[in-house]
Amino acid sequence: MKKSISTCVLVLFLFSFMCCKSQENKKTERIQTPKHFKILDKKEGDLDNDGVFEKVIVYDTEKETDMGTERQIYIYKKNHNKWELWKKSVGAILPSEHGGMMGDPFEGISINKNCIVINHSGGARQRWHYTHRFRFQTGEFQLIGATVNFGSPCDNFFNFDYNLSTGKVIYQEETSDCEKEDSKTEKKETISKPSTLPTMANFYPGNNKFTFPNSETIIYY
């Protein structure tokens, strides 16, 4: 009987100890938000194919710029149950007023196929939308894909899709007249592989230019 009671006490002690350790680990995993920063979005996923999830947080810094408040991306890796800052980017997320009449341009981030995907939109009558895809390779998060949609109803609208890894570019422009119920579509494809890929650390959406060969068509992505 005494042996049974001792065993129960030991089991309860071990259970209590494990609970305490679990609570302790949870505390160490918490990320302290930088002072005056506000979280806009966060996602977890395996970004470097090591089988362990990283955490991506988009912060509004409340630092004023000509286009509203500055945003930053912090990427954290887990080290012995502690989140440590791994990479940081200032510029890849547009400031709070960059969307023009549409307001805040930031739509959100996602993690897809080990890539960080960032979406923005804005404009007025002419609307624009950016999707940028960054993959961790050669020690940095590099831009591997960019999609741009721009235009307005009953006028002209284009879609530009650029796979920077392969160099494949697909451009499609539709010109329409709603009164005449008429429209025409132009499509171009080419291969243009950049010598170096932009990194997320130095990236700003819309500041990169692509010019089609033997054409006046220029796209900013």
Side-chain angles (χ1 to χ4, degrees), residues 32-216:
Q32 191 69 34
T33 301
K35 191 175 182 181
H36 302 305
F37 282 23
K38 180 176 67 176
I39 296 175
L40 295 180
D41 199 1
K42 57 183 178 180
K43 293 291 187 296
E44 288 189 32
D46 185 3
L47 298 172
D48 56 0
N49 279 305
D50 64 353
V52 180
F53 277 19
E54 284 73 43
K55 182 174 287 190
V56 182
I57 301 181
V58 177
Y59 292 112
D60 187 302
T61 68
E62 297 190 0
K63 298 176 183 177
E64 290 293 335
T65 72
D66 292 340
M67 300 293 288
T69 54
E70 177 188 274
R71 277 71 187 275
Q72 297 184 14
I73 300 177
Y74 281 36
I75 305 172
Y76 298 88
K77 281 186 74 69
K78 189 178 287 186
N79 182 18
H80 299 296
N81 289 322
K82 291 185 179 180
W83 289 108
E84 295 181 350
L85 183 60
W86 180 34
K87 301 288 183 179
K88 186 170 82 169
S89 170
V90 180
I93 305 295
L94 291 172
S96 62
E97 298 175 11
H98 200 107
M101 291 184 66
M102 300 304 298
D104 192 338
F106 178 60
E107 290 189 344
I109 58 170
S110 61
I111 295 177
N112 184 23
K113 296 181 180 178
N114 307 107
C115 295
I116 297 174
V117 183
I118 305 173
N119 287 288
H120 291 97
S121 66
R125 182 176 181 273
Q126 289 189 313
R127 297 290 307 276
W128 53 265
H129 184 274
Y130 291 140
T131 298
H132 295 101
R133 304 166 190 83
F134 295 90
R135 183 169 63 203
F136 183 72
Q137 50 194 27
T138 65
E140 293 292 341
F141 282 92
Q142 295 182 321
L143 182 72
I144 64 161
T147 302
V148 182
N149 305 112
F150 180 85
S152 57
C154 302
D155 191 359
N156 74 313
F157 186 87
F158 75 76
N159 180 80
F160 170 82
D161 189 71
Y162 189 11
N163 185 327
L164 284 82
S165 292
T166 63
K168 186 174 183 179
V169 179
I170 301 175
Y171 173 85
Q172 185 167 309
E173 182 175 3
E174 181 179 355
T175 305
S176 60
D177 187 325
C178 291
E179 291 184 4
K180 297 180 180 180
E181 297 183 353
D182 183 37
S183 68
K184 63 179 181 178
T185 301
E186 176 189 7
K187 187 174 182 179
K188 300 177 183 179
E189 291 190 20
T190 188
I191 299 293
S192 179
K193 193 170 182 178
S195 56
T196 58
L197 298 177
T199 63
M200 189 167 67
N202 303 310
F203 189 76
Y204 195 95
N207 275 11
N208 301 270
K209 182 171 73 172
F210 182 87
T211 304
F212 277 88
N214 305 315
S215 171
E216 296 182 357

